[in-house]
Amino acid sequence: ADHVWSVYFGAMSTSIAAVLAILHIKLYDHKQMKEIKSRMEHRKVVHKSDQRGLYKELVFIALPFLISAILGYCDNIINTFYLKNGLEAYYMKDGALSAHASQEVILVVGAINYGVLKLMSIPMILAPGFTSAIIPHITSALTNQQYALVRKNIYECIEIVLYIGIPISFCLFAYAKPIYACMFPPAGSDMIAAQEALELCADVLRWFSVDAFLGTIAPIFTTLLMAVEMRKKNLRNLAINAGIKLMITYPMLAWFGYPGMIMASIISMGTLILLSAHALSKQFELKWIYTLRKLLVILIGIAGLYGCSMLLSSMGLVGYGNGRLIGICQLGINGLISLTMYFGITYFFGLPQNLLHLDFKKLFHHKAS
């Protein structure tokens, strides 16, 4: 019944958003129509030969982006295609599929499709946001042959996503159990107790936090390659990624269970990232030494975040076991303090000042003056 009501409210919220969008177009965008119509009256007539050239150029520009989008997001498609059969093959290694194993398959498949993919989208939304913001600067610098500025923009785009994306993805790992208990608490079944189901779903989320991180970083490189007019190499790398993923996902699932799916993603998407980084490095003479140093600082901050979260959990801020409302409050306090620890450590090394231009000393000095 709860799932039915969630569908009702989801459809209702979508309808409300659509109505508001129509009202916005009617009330606000309608004011611009007079200017648009006046400009149309003075437009230059485009000859048919020019139109054919425009259509041809549009196809050559749009088609690679379409193929890139399809290949770039094939990971979830392939996972969904192989998931159930691969898990059943894993549990049947010792013989027939038992009733308990069958329930585990249903639970894991449901956890991935119902909750885990939604949580993974939180860090993964960073990639299109940052790349869409920085692409105009890269293309402008490339057009003006300002290659030093192109390198600077590429570094900044990748490093900012690393700085924000790694802690968010790691929080899915560190807080997997309380997050799942608060947002998608499993009910259990005749074969699997609720606590056992929660442990299994949390473990699935921990593994998929790695996939969330890879799904945040890989689109950055693919979009950058498209922006710097390296479409052929980008499509080649994406095809290699899709081919590897397609070939090894089912065997990895059958051998290792759901962790095998993530191992397959690490191999395929890791190959994609390395090939793309190499292509960018070769084209623009990029040196990754400073990026690796910043990555080391980020990992030190992550160690502080994890240590702080473990300490707070030992003090009682576990985020589950005392009701959903109390769990959410405990999770919020624990997460906020731990993320503050991450920010403090990286701030000590000057990382947010360098990447986000966030310097509290200058800010407070400016306010004081």
Side-chain angles (χ1 to χ4, degrees), residues 71-201:
L71 293 175
Y73 292 94
C74 69
D75 191 73
N76 288 334
I77 298 172
I78 295 172
N79 286 346
T80 304
F81 184 74
Y82 284 131
L83 180 57
K84 188 174 183 296
N85 292 334
L87 286 176
E88 288 178 349
Y90 169 73
Y91 283 106
M92 289 179 65
K93 286 190 299 186
D94 298 327
L97 188 67
S98 65
H100 185 275
S102 179
Q103 288 291 320
E104 280 199 16
V105 171
I106 294 172
L107 181 61
V108 170
V109 172
I112 293 171
N113 293 330
Y114 177 62
V116 171
L117 291 179
K118 294 182 179 68
L119 295 168
M120 285 173 58
S121 65
I122 297 172
M124 289 171 66
I125 200 66
L126 291 171
F130 278 102
T131 49
S132 61
I134 207 163
I135 277 175
H137 300 284
I138 294 176
T139 53
S140 175
L142 189 63
T143 302
N144 296 321
Q145 297 183 349
Q146 298 173 315
Y147 298 114
L149 185 57
V150 172
R151 286 192 288 270
K152 179 178 179 292
N153 288 331
I154 291 173
Y155 287 137
E156 284 189 353
C157 183
I158 294 171
E159 289 165 2
I160 289 173
V161 173
L162 285 173
Y163 182 72
I164 300 175
I166 289 179
I168 295 177
S169 301
F170 187 79
C171 281
L172 294 179
F173 173 86
Y175 299 106
K177 193 171 180 180
I179 287 174
Y180 216 93
C182 291
M183 300 188 67
F184 310 103
S189 63
D190 296 336
M191 295 288 178
I192 302 176
Q195 186 61 32
E196 183 184 352
L198 177 59
E199 293 285 352
L200 182 59
C201 292

Side-chain angles (χ1 to χ4, degrees), residues 15 41 48-49 52 89 112 174 224 229 241 268 277 294 297 308 319-320 328 336 352:
S15 302
E41 291 175 357
K48 289 186 177 180
S49 59
R52 282 194 293 269
I112 293 171
L224 286 173
E229 299 178 355
N241 165 61
S268 61
K294 290 170 185 174
V297 173
C308 184
Y320 61 91
I328 291 173
L336 183 61

Side-chain angles (χ1 to χ4, degrees), residues 297-314:
V297 173
I298 290 171
L299 294 178
I300 294 172
I302 290 296
L305 184 156
Y306 189 54
C308 184
S309 70
M310 295 292 287
L311 178 62
L312 292 171
S313 296
S314 67

